[in-house]
Amino acid sequence: MEGIDRNGQGNAPALLVSDLVKRYATGVEALKGVSLEIPDGSFFGLLGPNGAGKSTLIHCATGLAMPTSGRIEIFGNDAITRYREAREAVGLAPQDLNLDWFLTVEETLDFHGGYFGMPKADREERVEELLDAFSLVDKRDQRTRTLSGGMKRRLILARALMHRPRLLILDEPTAGVDVELRLELWHYVQEVNRLGTSILLTTHYLEEAEQLCDQIAFINDGEIVAQGTSPELAGRFGVDSLEDAYLELVGRKELSRSHLGELDGAEIE
Amino acid sequence: MSPTAIRFLTLVRREVSRFVKIKGQTIGAPLLETFLYITVFGAALGTRVGDLQGYEYIVFVVPGLIMMAWAINAFSNNSSSILQQKFQRAIDDQLSSPSSPGQLLTALSLGGFLRGLTIAVITFLVAMVLVDLPVEHPAILILALVLIGFFFSQLGVLVGVRAEQFDDVSFIQTFVLTPLIFLGGVFYSATLLPQPFQTLTEFNPVYYMISLVRYGFLGIDDIDVLLSMAVLTAVTVGLFLFNLQLFRRGYKLRS
């Protein structure tokens, strides 16, 4: 898989976020001065409860939201002043299945490649590669609206990879996905990462983060509250697992699986 | 081809492919509607109306119908396309691409512009066969139609971007555009109206657009052609620049 040494900016991090604030017109402050660095080549997990600011951070990095203040750089390119270079380097697989109903599977990939300036011959070659990799070959002429949820999820990921991004952003890519497809996607993104693409993953499945990510950050209420490897985070919270560290973070440690046995033998009236 | 050109052409291709895929609704229906107008007002009623400003009634109404078809289709195409893409959030694919605000705006505008052009050209060709339609000032005619088409394309983009539900779009089309276009004199000459309606018509911008197109076809100049052309150009450019500012700010597109 391509993705290395293009538009190279030396050893610039894949994503560098400094003091990022996002305040919506409603007055809600979704990000309260977030700073974060995702090294080139890493598989980075961003965990946090619903409404913590994960998607807002991703939207600010991809041009879908306008930051109130602070800076975002993608491989050294400012996401606002050098948005072309910054966005060229990013592939986004959003949480919502935001496919264009008017397009077929093949057109979805082809148009995306066009939006990113890929020449026709290159697009055609890449479309074949991705249709094949995501088992979408026999669906190529089908309108996206008629696809099953799992197929839509595959197509969203294929679309994100179409222009060979150096940073792949996966916003809850396995939400509502069956076990086979989840494992299939894990294998695929691990391979993409092994070949040099940096990955930012948000997920609610902690075992997914543990399995895939080399670095994990916890975000809560618009702030990064902890960052490290899975064992480091568990150590920092004085617990045994990433899940327990997460529960400490959100203030629900009574839900820990280590307490599950405590109900055994309790009399239930 | 440069990446910038590929980006722009793909954005336009998306807009065109949308209306081509549903051509029965986007091309067929408006053509039928236009020909119904020609049949009812031109052929059926027209024979009873007699000449208007020296022209057979059917010849008098065709220029206005061509303009109206282009305007309404440019508007409704763009407003619907943008609103649908906003609903599905499919527009995020374009918004997160390296396309500039100007490229996005122009491409989204061109969808409706080209749909309106297609309908206008077909109507024109058929009208040429059916009636003896003169083209007195082709340069003014083409320039005026292009500007009008682009103006309504921009208006469609503006309303589509602002809209939060389909009612917002149909409200503007039903309660603002259609009355302005009908009362602008598509089916009659404003010079025939009694006061105060004649004076009121002069406050309707569409009146000048229809008059320009009628001047291009028939040579009837009941307005100041150069002044109208200058104002139309200024308003169209002004609206484009206004939309461009909205796109730069990400108004209702980027949160």
Side-chain angles (χ1 to χ4, degrees), chain A residues 30-258:
Chain A
L31 297 174
K32 301 170 179 170
V34 166
S35 294
L36 193 69
E37 182 174 334
I38 301 182
D40 188 8
S42 83
F43 202 133
F44 195 99
L46 185 62
L47 306 184
N50 287 333
K54 302 185 293 292
S55 292
T56 302
L57 177 62
I58 288 173
H59 289 169
C60 286
T62 49
L64 298 178
M66 315 286 256
T68 306
S69 65
R71 266 176 80 83
I72 305 174
E73 282 178 22
I74 293 158
F75 294 104
N77 292 306
D78 188 288
I80 304 287
T81 56
R82 290 175 61 84
Y83 69 88
R84 280 198 185 88
E85 292 81 356
R87 289 186 204 160
E88 253 163 31
V90 181
L92 169 66
Q95 194 177 332
D96 306 323
L97 298 168
N98 69 337
L99 294 165
D100 190 331
W101 288 359
F102 283 95
L103 304 183
T104 63
V105 168
E106 184 173 351
E107 284 170 335
T108 299
L109 299 177
D110 180 59
F111 278 62
H112 179 91
Y115 300 151
F116 281 78
M118 291 169 75
K120 190 163 190 267
D122 190 19
R123 293 203 301 271
E124 284 171 355
E125 191 188 317
R126 184 69 172 154
V127 165
E128 295 309 321
E129 244 174 72
L130 289 168
L131 289 177
D132 191 45
F134 287 93
S135 312
L136 287 164
V137 176
D138 58 340
K139 308 276 182 205
R140 66 189 311 153
D141 296 323
Q142 220 167 298
R143 292 260 188 117
T144 60
R145 188 173 33 182
T146 64
L147 296 176
S148 68
M151 285 295 168
K152 283 180 182 159
R153 192 51 78 185
R154 281 170 207 256
L155 181 56
I156 293 269
L157 185 52
R159 186 182 68 181
L161 288 163
M162 178 68 195
H163 61 283
R164 304 183 183 93
R166 298 174 67 201
L167 169 63
L168 177 63
I169 299 182
L170 305 168
D171 195 0
E172 297 189 32
T174 55
V177 157
D178 63 24
V179 177
E180 307 93 279
L181 181 55
R182 177 175 305 165
L183 292 173
E184 210 177 289
L185 294 178
W186 284 15
H187 284 296
Y188 197 85
V189 294
Q190 263 180 326
E191 180 64 6
V192 169
N193 179 240
R194 198 184 60 76
L195 291 166
T197 304
S198 311
I199 296 182
L200 167 60
L201 168 79
T202 77
T203 179
H204 284 298
Y205 301 105
L206 299 177
E207 77 278 14
E208 186 164 281
E210 253 172 334
Q211 184 100 25
L212 298 172
C213 302
D214 46 47
Q215 281 280 312
I216 292 167
F218 280 158
I219 184 169
N220 196 19
D221 199 18
E223 288 170 299
I224 300 287
V225 288
Q227 188 177 335
T229 61
S230 172
E232 278 169 8
L233 287 170
R236 191 166 313 166
F237 285 92
V239 291
D240 295 332
S241 67
L242 184 66
E243 184 173 87
D244 283 348
Y246 177 85
L247 289 171
E248 288 280 342
L249 163 79
V250 296
R252 297 299 306 273
K253 58 184 174 187
E254 76 278 10
L255 294 174
S256 171
R257 291 181 208 223
S258 60

Side-chain angles (χ1 to χ4, degrees), chain A residues 83-84 87 114-116, chain B residues 7-8 11 94-104 254:
Chain A
Y83 69 88
R84 280 198 185 88
R87 289 186 204 160
Y115 300 151
F116 281 78
Chain B
R7 269 198 285 277
F8 180 66
L11 290 166
Q94 288 100 298
L95 293 174
S96 60
S97 78
S99 312
S100 69
Q103 277 186 324
L104 278 169
R254 304 177 199 269

